[in-house]
């Protein structure tokens, strides 16, 4: 599995180089003309240097344009969007509304599972497991037994994932 | 008479027994929750592995039913023993030492439920 991943990444990088090279070709003539006037290095190096330079400038400009919408000028790797307190709360309430033992009208962020919603301790365990599945990290039972309201769950997840406000 | 009975009851209540795993009921309940979690995560794998004809939801309901059967227990040693038996069942299910028929035995009622009220016990016979 690791071999196929590396092969895929190699193929992906090769494809990226090819499309970047095709993008860089129109500017190659201008840059190569400038460099030929200025100095006379080895033709292979001269051919390579403007190619990589143009490719690099093209690449950053191209990727930079796509990430301007997020407001931060950085490369977007394959990561999830950053968590905020509102998104965590929305996801927690969404998962709780999907749970069939909870009445969605009575559900609020401060409703206690046992006192207000009339759930069992095993129901609370099931809810915490659903949160683990949603957010993708394990919540140990020592801390899970104290999480009795949705707002406490949101605070705990924000604490673990370093989400500030 | 009443005073001696009361003192004997008080002495019996204060007697300390050697625990199996947990020292008090909270620890025992924590073990119960851990066991519930492990079984809950295992149910979809079990249904796929043994090719059972039940849905995952039915399996989860049966799991909840088995745990609710012993909800009334308060003695930590008894809770620990039940947790140990549950862990043994889980191990046998995970490692496929059981077979499909053993898992489906959970879903078949083979015993009559014990009579709790006076009249049912009376109809059964002279059992206390």
């Amino acid at each position: 599995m690791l071999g196929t991943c590396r092969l895929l990444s190699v193929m992906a990088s090769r494809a990226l180089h090819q499309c970047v090279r095709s993008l860089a070709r129109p500017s190659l003539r201008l840059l190569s003309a400038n460099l030929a006037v200025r100095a006379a290095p080895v033709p292979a190096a001269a051919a390579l240097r403007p190619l990589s330079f143009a490719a690099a400038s093209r690449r950053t400009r191209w990727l930079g344009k796509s990430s301007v919408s997020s407001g931060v000028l950085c490369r977007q790797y394959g990561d999830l969007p950053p968590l905020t307190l509102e998104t965590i709360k929305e996801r927690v309430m969404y998962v709780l509304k999907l749970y069939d033992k909870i009445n969605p009208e009575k559900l609020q962020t401060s409703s206690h599972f046992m006192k207000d919603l009339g759930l069992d301790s095993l129901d609370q365990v099931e809810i915490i497991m659903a949160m683990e599945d949603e957010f993708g990290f394990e919540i140990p039972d020592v801390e899970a037994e104290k999480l009795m309201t949705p707002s406490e769950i949101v605070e705990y997840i924000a604490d673990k994932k370093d989400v500030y406000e | 008479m009443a005073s001696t009975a009361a003192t004997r009851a008080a002495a019996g209540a204060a007697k300390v027994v050697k625990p199996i795993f947990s020292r008090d009921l909270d620890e025992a309940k924590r073990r119960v929750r851990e066991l519930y979690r492990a079984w809950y995560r295992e149910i979809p794998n079990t249904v796929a592995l043994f090719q059972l004809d039940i849905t995952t939801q039915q399996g989860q309901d049966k799991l909840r039913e088995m745990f609710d059967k012993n909800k009334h227990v308060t003695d930590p040693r008894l809770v620990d023993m039940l947790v140990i038996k549950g862990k043994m069942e889980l191990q046998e299910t995970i490692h496929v030492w059981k077979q499909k028929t053993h898992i489906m035995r959970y879903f078949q009622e083979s015993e009559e439920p014990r009579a709790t009220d006076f009249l049912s016990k009376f109809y059964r016979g002279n059992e206390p």
Side-chain angles (χ1 to χ4, degrees):
Chain A
M1 193 188 148
L2 200 58
T4 52
C5 285
R6 222 176 292 140
L7 184 64
L8 281 172
S9 69
V10 161
M11 284 165 59
S13 62
R14 213 174 288 157
L16 182 62
H17 280 307
Q18 276 181 2
C19 69
V20 164
R21 225 173 285 146
S22 65
L23 277 175
R25 220 163 274 142
S27 63
L28 180 61
R29 266 178 248 130
L30 294 164
L31 278 171
S32 63
N34 282 336
L35 280 168
V37 161
R38 240 182 278 149
V42 178
L48 277 175
R49 215 185 334 134
L51 175 69
S52 57
F53 176 71
S57 64
R58 266 287 162 156
R59 206 184 303 147
T60 47
R61 241 183 293 145
W62 173 41
L63 285 171
K65 247 180 238 171
S66 70
S67 67
V68 148
S69 56
S70 76
V72 179
L73 207 65
C74 66
R75 302 274 179 97
Q76 298 253 330
Y77 299 106
D79 202 1
L80 297 166
L83 288 174
T84 61
L85 281 179
E86 283 84 26
T87 56
I88 296 177
K89 192 169 85 95
E90 269 170 34
R91 282 163 80 176
V92 166
M93 299 307 276
Y94 182 68
V95 169
L96 285 175
K97 283 189 181 110
L98 286 176
Y99 190 49
D100 58 349
K101 287 191 193 165
I102 293 184
N103 192 3
E105 282 106 52
K106 277 207 261 173
L107 181 67
Q108 290 163 11
T109 46
S110 58
S111 46
H112 199 266
F113 290 139
M114 305 234 184
K115 293 180 207 158
D116 298 336
L117 301 168
L119 295 176
D120 203 6
S121 60
L122 292 180
D123 291 323
Q124 195 253 347
V125 171
E126 280 189 22
I127 288 171
I128 298 294
M129 278 200 274
M131 296 301 153
E132 279 183 7
D133 290 335
E134 169 73 22
F135 289 97
F137 70 100
E138 276 227 14
I139 302 176
D141 195 49
V142 180
E143 297 164 26
E145 62 188 4
K146 298 176 196 138
L147 302 173
M148 282 294 167
T149 71
S151 56
E152 278 182 20
I153 296 178
V154 170
E155 274 171 31
Y156 179 82
I157 293 173
D159 185 37
K160 286 289 157 182
K161 291 278 181 182
D162 292 331
V163 175
Y164 307 107
E165 194 47 39
Chain B
M1 269 302 276
S3 63
T4 50
T7 47
R8 225 180 300 142
K15 189 168 76 168
V16 174
V17 280
K18 184 175 127 182
I20 297 183
F21 277 140
S22 34
R23 276 161 282 185
D24 52 354
L25 195 57
D26 285 332
E27 242 181 276
K29 287 200 184 201
R30 198 174 296 157
R31 285 180 208 277
V32 170
R33 280 192 287 263
E34 293 276 2
L35 184 67
Y36 185 78
R37 273 204 203 200
W39 264 113
Y40 193 90
R41 295 263 190 241
E42 184 53 31
I43 282 175
N45 302 335
T46 303
V47 168
L49 196 57
F50 289 86
Q51 295 173 4
L52 301 175
D53 293 323
I54 56 166
T55 62
T56 311
Q57 187 58 46
Q58 277 177 298
Q60 287 166 1
D61 292 338
K62 176 55 73 172
L63 172 70
R64 176 59 73 95
E65 194 189 308
M66 303 294 286
F67 270 74
D68 282 341
K69 230 193 274 182
N70 298 317
K71 208 157 61 159
H72 57 276
V73 176
T74 52
D75 186 10
R77 296 175 3 128
L78 186 52
V79 173
D80 279 341
M81 189 46 85
L82 292 167
V83 163
I84 286 168
K85 290 180 75 97
K87 280 188 186 172
M88 282 159 61
E89 304 273 316
L90 180 63
Q91 188 182 26
E92 287 165 10
T93 309
I94 290 178
H95 289 289
V96 197
W97 297 337
K98 286 197 190 213
Q99 283 140 11
K100 194 185 210 176
T101 167
H102 300 108
I103 310 270
M104 292 315 283
R105 261 173 224 176
Y106 289 122
F107 293 87
Q108 285 166 6
E109 287 294 326
S110 60
E111 314 167 340
E112 275 178 31
R114 278 187 81 99
T116 40
D117 57 334
F118 170 76
L119 213 52
S120 315
K121 282 193 219 173
F122 181 76
Y123 291 145
R124 281 256 201 97
N126 197 9
E127 295 165 34

